[in-house]
């Protein structure tokens, strides 16, 4: 066999292995179940100024791995959104200037996403979607219309602005809320009446293949351990 044929055969074998691996590389959700890529909700992570590469050490891109372990798809970008403008995520998490971008971008999305910001800056606009959570340290403003959480009072005392997204307390607050999002989504899906389309082509395990998006009507989305701070002054 010629060298060219050997190379072609090796390439074909590598392609087949990669294809099989991709077919089986479905993210594992809690409970050991697997979900097809297209059915998993999407989180858009927007880093702040100076963080332009996804990494595990600084910025909200460090949340990508734990979010994927929860059962989400993730996309990471900077506050400029040069790679993700036009996507319609279920959740947007933004740090610093990425937080301001998240608040502005969420306004045009339907259905409205959950927005979580960390030290939204430099002049965050009001939250115009039903659910916003703003986690901030000293010197950073509350977001009008959001549930504002004092990071230092919550346990991230003396953590700097740059390191706040990776502080364990802040990470736990965020992951608690994203898990609550998943739980509410599953609850809505479980309560949805079976339609003719469902009966015609039932999905595996009897679960609906599509999840309703009107999930914000589900009661019980609260932050029991934190109280909202005073709202942003009028005209501010």
């Amino acid at each position: 066999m010629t060298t060219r044929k050997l190379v072609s055969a090796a390439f074909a074998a590598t392609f087949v292995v990669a294809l099989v691996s991709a077919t089986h590389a479905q993210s594992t959700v809690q409970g050991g179940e697997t979900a097809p890529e297209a059915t998993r909700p999407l989180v858009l992570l927007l880093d702040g100024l100076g963080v332009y590469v996804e990494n595990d050490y600084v910025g909200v891109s460090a949340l990508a791995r734990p979010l994927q372990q929860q059962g989400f798809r993730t996309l990471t970008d900077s506050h400029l959104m040069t790679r993700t403008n036009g996507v319609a995520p279920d959740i947007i998490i933004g740090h610093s200037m990425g937080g301001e971008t998240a608040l502005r971008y969420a306004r045009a999305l339907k259905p409205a996403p959950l927005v979580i910001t960390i030290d939204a800056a430099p002049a965050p606009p009001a939250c115009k979607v039903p659910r916003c959570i703003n986690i901030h340290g000293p010197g950073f403003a509350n977001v009008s219309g959001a549930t504002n959480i004092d990071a230092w009072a919550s346990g991230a005392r003396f953590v700097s602005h740059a390191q706040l997204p990776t502080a364990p307390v802040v990470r736990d607050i965020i992951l608690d809320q994203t898990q609550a999002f998943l739980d509410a989504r599953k609850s809505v899906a479980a309560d949805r009446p079976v339609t003719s389309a469902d009966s015609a082509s039932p999905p595996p395990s009897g679960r609906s293949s599509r999840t309703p998006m009107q999930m914000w009507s589900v009661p019980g989305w609260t932050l029991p351990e934190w109280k909202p701070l005073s709202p942003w002054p009028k005209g501010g």
Side-chain angles (χ1 to χ4, degrees):
M1 183 178 292
T2 65
T3 301
R4 179 175 295 180
K5 289 183 178 179
L6 285 172
V7 172
S8 298
F11 177 80
T14 302
F15 177 78
V16 170
V17 171
L19 182 61
V20 171
S21 298
T23 302
H24 290 283
Q26 297 172 330
S27 296
T28 301
V29 298
Q30 291 191 349
E33 299 176 356
T34 58
E37 181 76 8
T39 66
R40 294 159 56 211
L42 175 64
V43 179
L44 175 60
L45 299 163
L46 298 178
D47 273 316
L49 183 66
V51 183
Y52 301 114
V53 179
E54 182 175 336
N55 65 88
D56 293 333
Y57 308 104
V58 65
V60 292
S61 60
L63 292 166
R65 187 172 301 177
L67 286 167
Q68 291 163 11
Q69 291 171 345
Q70 276 191 328
F72 291 96
R73 293 176 292 142
T74 62
L75 287 175
T76 302
D77 207 345
S78 72
H79 66 283
L80 299 174
M81 291 190 66
T82 56
R83 300 186 301 272
T84 56
N85 189 28
V87 302
D90 299 279
I91 300 174
I92 310 178
I93 303 175
H95 173 230
S96 193
M97 292 181 71
E100 179 174 355
T101 299
L103 289 163
R104 296 186 187 282
Y105 186 67
R107 293 177 173 182
L109 297 178
K110 301 215 180 282
L114 164 65
V115 178
I116 302 176
T117 58
I118 307 162
D119 277 354
C127 171
K128 296 295 185 180
V129 298
R131 293 292 175 182
C132 288
I133 299 166
N134 178 51
I135 306 166
H136 67 88
F140 287 86
N142 286 347
V143 172
S144 178
T147 298
N148 289 284
I149 300 171
D150 187 321
W152 280 30
S154 300
R157 193 163 182 79
F158 302 122
V159 177
S160 68
H161 168 72
Q163 297 299 324
L164 203 57
T166 54
V169 168
V170 173
R171 169 178 157 151
D172 288 347
I173 292 172
I174 292 172
L175 293 180
D176 283 347
Q177 293 309 302
T178 53
Q179 184 60 52
F181 176 98
L182 287 176
D183 293 343
R185 187 181 178 102
K186 291 176 183 177
S187 176
V188 172
D191 292 340
R192 184 169 68 90
V194 176
T195 65
S196 57
D198 295 327
S199 302
S201 181
S205 304
R207 290 193 299 270
S208 170
S209 60
R210 297 186 62 189
T211 303
M213 298 306 295
Q214 295 81 9
M215 64 159 295
W216 297 122
S217 62
V218 178
W221 191 288
T222 60
L223 287 164
E225 298 182 10
W226 301 282
K227 295 181 180 180
L229 303 179
S230 57
W232 185 254
K234 292 183 179 179

